[in-house]
Amino acid sequence: MRLRVAAGGPAALKVLAAAGAAAAPVRLVWGGPLERPLAPLSPPWAPALELDSGTVLFSPNAICQFFFLARGEEPTDLTNQWLEWEATELQPAASAALYAQLVHGRKGLEAVEALGKLLAHIEQNLSRRGTAYLAGDTKSVADVVVWGTLFPVLQDETSLPSELQVLRTWFQSMTLSEACRKAADSVLMPKALLEFKSYLQKQPSPCLAMERATSNEPEPSLQEEEGSEPALTEEEITAAVDAWARGVAALPKPWQPQKPVLPVEGMRNVLITSALPYVNNVPHLGNIIGCVLSADTFARYCRLRNWNTLYVCGTDEYGTATETKAVEEGLTPQEICNKYNAIHTDIYRWFDISFDYFGRTTTPYQTMIAQDIFQRLLARGFLLQDTVEQLQCEDCQRFLADRFVEGTCPFCSYEEARGDQCDKCGKLINAVELKNPQCKLCRGVPVVKPTQHLFLDLPKLEEQLEPWLEQSWATGDWTANARYITRSWIRDGLKPRCITRDLKWGTPVPLDGFRDKVFYVWFDAPIGYLSITANYTDQWERWWKNPQQVELYNFMAKDNVPFHSVIFPCSLLGADDNYTLVNHLIATEYLNYEDGKFSKSRGVGVFGDMAKDTGIPADIWRFYLLYLRPEGQDSAFSWSDLMLKNNSELLNNLGNFINRAGMFVCKFFGGTVPDMVLTPDDERLLARVTLELHQYHQLLEKVRIRDALRCILSISRHGNQYIQVNEPWKRIKGDEKDRQRAGTVTGVAVNMASMLAVMLQPYMPSVSLAIQGQLCIPPDCFVLSHNFTCTLPPGHRVGTVSPLFQKLEHDQIEALRKRFGGGQAKQTPPASVTLVAPGDPQLIQELTEEVAKQGNHVRQLKANKAEKAQVDTEVVKLLELKKQLALAEGKSPEVLAPTGKRKK
């Protein structure tokens, strides 16, 4: 086969990528647009494939399909649908966007404007299906074709709208694949692109209709485009005015559940859990937003909706980590649990986390329920017994728990994989499979020894797991990363999973021959949700054995997904006791700190017990963490951004509006809400605010917490603009008509502030309570409906109004940045080795990670042939980190060689 392509031509990109992906045996011929084409009707720049039979294919998509068919991959209906969509809708719009880039010089989001709805279409399909690729969990011709059309336009990934996180992940994965990368390097060369640009400049501009290929809506007016607001319908305006006029009568009556909270027949019963934090660690900001704060925000929203809601959590207290921490601090495991459970409790209380019950796993109920589930699994034949090889550290004289072994992943060669799971590729690992294993406590090399263990027979349970997962995905709200991670586990095939460990501190195994062992923490820990609820109420089974009436939401970071989506559900399905299984699994990505990771031992980052010492109120921390909640991709805490968001969004936007609305009532109308006579402009504002309120509900019902917060800020922006345009401070000095207008604007604004107080409660409960107090909002109005109603009618008296937020100053923020950036540690003289505690396993682990990271960075610089001065600077940093690691390990830093790897 002979494949003719022209460098610079976008269509060449997809056919070369397809040839590479399908390993097609083609002879490549590079040509130019002026050369005679292989086929008479073939347009300039179009590729052509001449088959051995003499037949010529010159449709790029047909060529791509041929390559995959030749490899034996038959297209599915879904693949064909994507190819048809790409040809009829995506290609015309992408051509218009590329023309705008190359000929008109448009950049970034402006250039890809024509692709907006098409990109959203890809995002929605990937999210809904939860697959890694367009037509399933493996790459198909559809992925190559769609990527090939998009890549010339989206080479600069900043052109992708930030909210399209699933699409961004797919696009990056395709771009980094070998076939696509080689195709891009071959086709999109600068000289060839200039020739292609010259060719385009001689062509007519693509029809503007193509740019709106997917839209059946009338084109918006210029004013609407600039304002980025959809036009309001008469029906929307009329409905908003009617709801406003009904006032408090339109609101549902607030409902308070009995204590303890138990499911109620006929109500929506919502059970919420957040991943149990390890008791031996102080949670940092990333831990807090990933689990407890996200769950708390949703729980508060549920209560405002009058849903019968129970939110439970607690500390995960069993396992080797606790034993090790106890040895370090000279305490018993129970004493260490008591100490850190109190620390966690204080932190969450300060952050105003509204648990119905915060418990712990070291209780008799934990033993009883875990052993019952174990016995039921044993009786039903879902447990296996086997002799396994396990790593034992002879220096520490103990078998090593998985998380205390570190080495190179046998699947992806990641050098910092844990003994139970690789953080890079996500695959489960048995510790003995690690290459170059090390004991994380003493850095010694462990030896392999045989021991008897019990296994959960996941392959046997898979036939129950898969239909349950399909049903849960179809009816529940699982985040895209939760679906993807779970699918990857199922795709790779489930294997028996060990559920016992050679430890002392844990739930004992009630079986002869194994009574000297305890349950593995990831079999035992999720059962903590049940036992913690049992410590809250002896009627716990009404929540946990009642799937007909209860909706279960699990909140966690993405590393916990497999244990909640596969292992724990398998345990409960196998136990066959009508357990409540998760309906909605909500997983975040990771929150980083500035340009790196949180590190307690190195003084980098803000941890829960430090936040209250910053002088910044808890609600400001809540707001900022929820504002940058890592919903689709990792995000990073930034001191500068915290200051910016506080001063702009809170102080100048939200706080400014609510304060002005209340102050106008006090200053101009004696503290009493004035009469209101609505104009058409006021009615449109009511409708606009109602639309934002509807969007707020739609997002929170899907647990898109970060995006829903934007609706609150958008409403306050509408309010500020409304006040600025109408200038009530001027109109109050005018004639009767002006004074009436000032009264209407003030009355509408203060009612917007009243509604914002309720909407804000899940995010900033203390600020919400302060607004409620200042405006004297009746308790019966503190409930969420879908309508913006007049809750503070004419004659309502407000209280004393005062500012809600304080400005964060640059000097204050810089001092905090320095304080939490490890600055003091960096300034420590090298000789002050007494400040480093040799043998601290947490410090050793963190420094080892930093050394590996910096080493990779240096190698990358050398591979890219960076300037010698830059390389030397980074090498100095690497040597300093190695010195710190040597000191932490109790070794002399002078024996470290400046280059090379340490032999095991």
Side-chain angles (χ1 to χ4, degrees):
M1 293 185 292
R2 185 163 62 116
L3 177 63
R4 175 194 175 279
V5 291
L13 189 62
K14 64 173 74 170
V15 297
L16 277 183
V26 297
R27 183 164 62 89
L28 195 59
V29 179
W30 291 98
L34 300 180
E35 295 181 13
R36 185 174 66 85
L38 290 175
L41 299 179
S42 180
W45 296 94
L49 177 66
E50 184 179 14
L51 304 181
D52 295 338
S53 62
T55 302
V56 178
L57 302 178
F58 56 90
S59 161
N61 284 11
I63 295 171
C64 293
Q65 286 180 280
F66 179 83
F67 289 148
F68 276 80
L69 278 168
R71 196 174 69 167
E73 292 189 20
E74 293 285 340
T76 65
D77 289 342
L78 186 55
T79 302
N80 288 331
Q81 289 172 25
W82 276 113
L83 292 173
E84 181 180 354
W85 175 82
E86 185 274 342
T88 58
E89 300 197 37
L90 183 61
Q91 270 193 45
S95 297
L98 189 60
Y99 191 94
Q101 275 185 345
L102 295 179
V103 178
H104 296 313
R106 294 181 184 174
K107 301 293 183 185
L109 292 173
E110 181 187 12
V112 301
E113 181 182 3
L115 298 177
K117 292 186 177 181
L118 297 163
L119 297 178
H121 175 73
I122 302 173
E123 169 85 10
Q124 291 164 5
N125 276 271
L126 286 169
S127 299
R128 185 171 67 250
R129 292 191 174 90
T131 55
Y133 297 101
L134 296 176
D137 287 320
T138 56
K139 193 183 305 177
S140 70
V141 64
D143 296 282
V144 175
V145 167
V146 172
W147 173 85
T149 300
L150 288 175
F151 186 78
V153 185
L154 301 177
Q155 291 182 66
D156 178 5
E157 290 181 9
T158 59
S159 302
L160 274 171
S162 59
E163 62 271 17
L164 304 181
Q165 298 301 338
V166 181
L167 169 61
R168 185 185 291 268
T169 300
W170 168 83
F171 186 75
Q172 290 172 340
S173 173
M174 291 297 300
T175 302
L176 293 173
S177 67
E178 183 178 4
C180 293
R181 190 177 67 250
K182 285 184 176 180
D185 292 342
S186 301
V187 174
L188 302 180
M189 295 182 293
K191 182 180 178 181
L193 284 175
L194 285 174
E195 293 178 2
F196 183 67
K197 178 179 177 180
S198 177
Y199 165 77
L200 281 182
Q201 287 172 335
K202 299 172 185 176
Q203 308 304 312
S205 175
C207 177
L208 290 177
M210 291 181 180
E211 299 184 31
R212 301 184 183 276
T214 61
S215 176
N216 295 318
E217 300 174 4
E219 294 190 9
S221 67
L222 180 62
Q223 180 180 1
E224 287 171 359
E225 279 193 341
E226 290 177 351
S228 300
E229 291 182 349
L232 294 166
T233 66
E234 287 301 321
E235 291 79 6
E236 289 169 337
I237 295 172
T238 301
V241 173
D242 290 345
W244 168 269
R246 291 200 303 272
V248 178
L251 295 176
K253 295 295 181 185
W255 179 79
Q256 292 295 328
Q258 298 292 319
K259 299 297 181 181
V261 182
L262 295 171
V264 177
E265 184 77 33
M267 291 193 69
R268 184 172 181 180
N269 300 295
V270 179
L271 176 58
I272 299 173
T273 69
S274 53
L276 307 183
Y278 285 123
V279 74
N280 60 302
N281 290 326
V282 177
H284 56 64
L285 298 181
N287 303 137
I288 290 168
I289 184 57
C291 301
V292 296
L293 179 54
S294 295
D296 174 68
T297 305
F298 185 69
R300 289 176 177 275
Y301 171 74
C302 292
R303 296 180 189 121
L304 286 173
R305 291 293 303 276
N306 281 344
W307 298 341
N308 186 38
T309 304
L310 179 68
Y311 175 25
V312 296
C313 187
T315 44
D316 176 10
E317 302 190 349
Y318 282 134
T320 300
T322 303
E323 286 186 351
T324 304
K325 193 72 173 178
V327 171
E328 289 176 15
E329 299 195 17
L331 300 172
T332 66
Q334 188 62 64
E335 288 171 339
I336 211 76
C337 290
N338 295 343
K339 173 184 174 179
Y340 280 91
N341 176 269
I343 291 173
H344 279 266
T345 301
D346 288 344
I347 289 170
Y348 303 138
R349 184 184 297 118
W350 187 81
F351 274 95
D352 213 352
I353 307 298
S354 62
F355 302 116
D356 289 289
Y357 187 75
F358 185 77
R360 54 202 306 183
T361 57
T362 51
T363 68
Y365 271 118
Q366 176 74 13
T367 302
M368 181 189 76
I369 298 172
Q371 290 185 347
D372 177 67
I373 291 173
F374 168 80
Q375 295 286 11
R376 296 181 69 87
L377 288 167
L378 184 66
R380 285 159 179 76
F382 292 121
L383 297 181
L384 304 172
Q385 181 177 330
D386 199 2
T387 300
V388 299
E389 293 182 327
Q390 191 169 338
L391 293 175
Q392 185 180 55
C393 179
E394 295 181 330
D395 293 336
C396 296
Q397 295 185 339
R398 66 191 308 161
F399 281 104
L400 294 176
D402 294 340
R403 286 177 176 254
F404 281 83
V405 184
E406 189 175 77
T408 301
C409 174
F411 301 103
C412 71
S413 299
Y414 179 57
E415 294 181 354
E416 299 174 21
R418 299 194 311 264
D420 58 347
Q421 187 179 14
C422 175
D423 286 335
K424 183 176 181 181
C425 68
K427 292 185 182 293
L428 281 183
I429 300 171
N430 286 319
V432 294
E433 296 173 341
L434 286 173
K435 301 175 184 177
N436 306 317
Q438 279 190 331
C439 170
K440 290 175 66 176
L441 299 176
C442 70
R443 313 313 296 183
V445 178
V447 297
V448 177
K449 289 197 173 183
T451 181
Q452 284 281 312
H453 279 293
L454 295 167
F455 291 75
L456 182 63
D457 193 349
L458 292 179
K460 191 174 182 180
L461 287 159
E462 192 168 355
E463 63 184 26
Q464 296 185 53
L465 177 69
E466 290 202 25
W468 168 77
L469 278 173
E470 291 299 332
Q471 180 186 16
S472 187
W473 287 339
T475 59
D477 290 311
W478 287 49
T479 52
N481 57 356
R483 290 172 184 257
Y484 174 76
I485 292 168
T486 304
R487 283 187 188 276
S488 69
W489 271 52
I490 301 297
R491 182 186 67 238
D492 294 343
L494 298 181
K495 298 177 177 60
R497 188 69 176 164
C498 186
I499 64 167
T500 54
R501 286 294 183 268
D502 290 293
L503 303 172
K504 300 297 182 185
W505 184 245
T507 301
V509 178
L511 183 66
D512 289 342
F514 296 88
R515 296 187 185 275
D516 58 340
K517 303 180 190 294
V518 299
F519 289 129
Y520 172 42
V521 67
W522 271 115
F523 172 79
D524 186 63
I527 298 171
Y529 299 133
L530 284 63
S531 70
I532 287 168
T533 309
N535 279 283
Y536 169 67
T537 172
D538 58 7
Q539 300 181 67
W540 64 274
E541 291 183 346
R542 291 178 59 183
W543 284 108
W544 285 102
K545 295 184 180 181
N546 189 6
Q548 297 79 17
Q549 289 187 324
V550 174
E551 279 184 78
L552 174 58
Y553 286 79
N554 287 163
F555 285 79
M556 69 203 67
K558 64 181 177 182
D559 58 332
N560 282 338
V561 166
F563 306 104
H564 289 79
S565 67
V566 176
I567 295 177
F568 187 43
C570 278
S571 299
L572 298 183
L573 287 166
D576 190 23
D577 202 14
N578 197 40
Y579 277 108
T580 302
L581 301 178
V582 60
N583 304 96
H584 315 275
L585 202 156
I586 314 301
T588 63
E589 301 292 318
Y590 295 137
L591 177 72
N592 297 314
Y593 180 79
E594 296 279 356
D595 296 325
K597 294 182 178 181
F598 291 86
S599 171
K600 181 81 169 179
S601 59
R602 298 179 60 223
V604 176
V606 181
F607 286 70
D609 56 347
M610 303 171 178
K612 59 184 175 183
D613 298 329
T614 62
I616 299 174
D619 267 19
I620 306 301
W621 287 109
R622 287 177 62 109
F623 167 82
Y624 184 60
L625 291 174
L626 292 163
Y627 190 95
L628 52 77
R629 183 174 184 262
E631 292 185 359
Q633 67 176 359
D634 292 356
S635 59
F637 173 90
S638 162
W639 284 106
S640 299
D641 190 51
L642 170 63
M643 179 177 69
L644 177 66
K645 296 301 185 293
N646 177 83
N647 295 347
S648 60
E649 295 290 9
L650 292 181
L651 186 63
N652 295 336
N653 176 18
L654 181 66
N656 181 54
F657 169 66
I658 293 173
N659 185 254
R660 293 171 86 189
M663 286 299 295
F664 290 157
V665 176
C666 296
K667 185 175 181 180
F668 301 145
F669 301 98
T672 301
V673 177
D675 291 331
M676 291 165 271
V677 180
L678 300 181
T679 67
D681 283 345
D682 300 325
E683 293 174 350
R684 280 192 291 272
L685 176 66
L686 300 184
R688 187 71 65 197
V689 171
T690 300
L691 288 179
E692 291 286 356
L693 177 60
H694 288 174
Q695 180 75 354
Y696 169 89
H697 281 298
Q698 289 169 8
L699 291 167
L700 276 176
E701 286 173 4
K702 296 293 184 182
V703 204
R704 290 175 58 183
I705 296 170
R706 181 191 63 196
D707 293 339
L709 179 56
R710 268 62 167 182
C711 297
I712 296 174
L713 300 174
S714 180
I715 290 173
S716 62
R717 270 190 286 273
H718 282 302
N720 277 316
Q721 185 179 17
Y722 177 62
I723 289 174
Q724 283 302 115
V725 168
N726 286 282
E727 299 179 319
W729 61 91
K730 291 183 180 179
R731 292 182 181 272
I732 196 66
K733 300 173 184 177
D735 57 20
E736 182 63 29
K737 184 179 179 181
D738 278 343
R739 289 196 297 275
Q740 184 185 72
R741 184 64 190 149
T744 298
V745 172
T746 299
V748 171
V750 79
N751 271 278
M752 288 175 66
S754 176
M755 187 185 74
L756 285 171
V758 186
M759 295 176 70
L760 197 61
Q761 199 266 359
Y763 295 89
M764 306 179 77
S766 296
V767 170
S768 171
L769 188 62
I771 301 169
Q772 184 182 11
Q774 292 183 19
L775 301 184
C776 299
I777 303 171
D780 282 353
C781 297
F782 236 69
V783 63
L784 276 171
S785 80
H786 281 71
N787 297 312
F788 174 28
T789 64
C790 180
T791 55
L792 305 182
H796 173 86
R797 290 197 60 81
V798 302
T800 302
V801 177
S802 58
L804 297 168
F805 306 109
Q806 298 295 321
K807 183 178 182 181
L808 290 176
E809 300 292 347
H810 181 266
D811 290 347
Q812 175 189 5
I813 289 299
E814 285 305 307
L816 290 170
R817 187 202 308 276
K818 182 177 180 181
R819 174 182 168 191
F820 293 104
Q824 293 177 348
K826 291 177 184 176
Q827 296 166 9
T828 301
S832 302
V833 295
T834 53
L835 296 181
V836 179
D840 181 348
Q842 185 175 358
L843 177 59
I844 291 171
Q845 175 190 350
E846 291 169 352
L847 285 172
T848 302
E849 292 173 353
E850 291 297 324
V851 166
K853 180 179 178 182
Q854 184 66 13
N856 289 334
H857 179 51
V858 169
R859 283 190 289 274
Q860 189 65 46
L861 287 175
K862 291 180 178 179
N864 294 336
K865 298 182 179 178
E867 293 183 4
K868 186 176 185 300
Q870 183 184 4
V871 174
D872 290 344
T873 300
E874 298 305 316
V875 168
V876 169
K877 293 180 182 178
L878 175 60
L879 293 177
E880 178 60 29
L881 284 170
K882 287 185 175 181
K883 184 190 296 184
Q884 293 181 33
L885 176 59
L887 292 171
E889 292 175 331
K891 300 175 182 176
S892 171
E894 288 77 19
V895 303
L896 285 172
T899 58
K901 296 182 179 179
R902 179 164 62 92
K903 293 183 178 180
K904 302 292 189 281

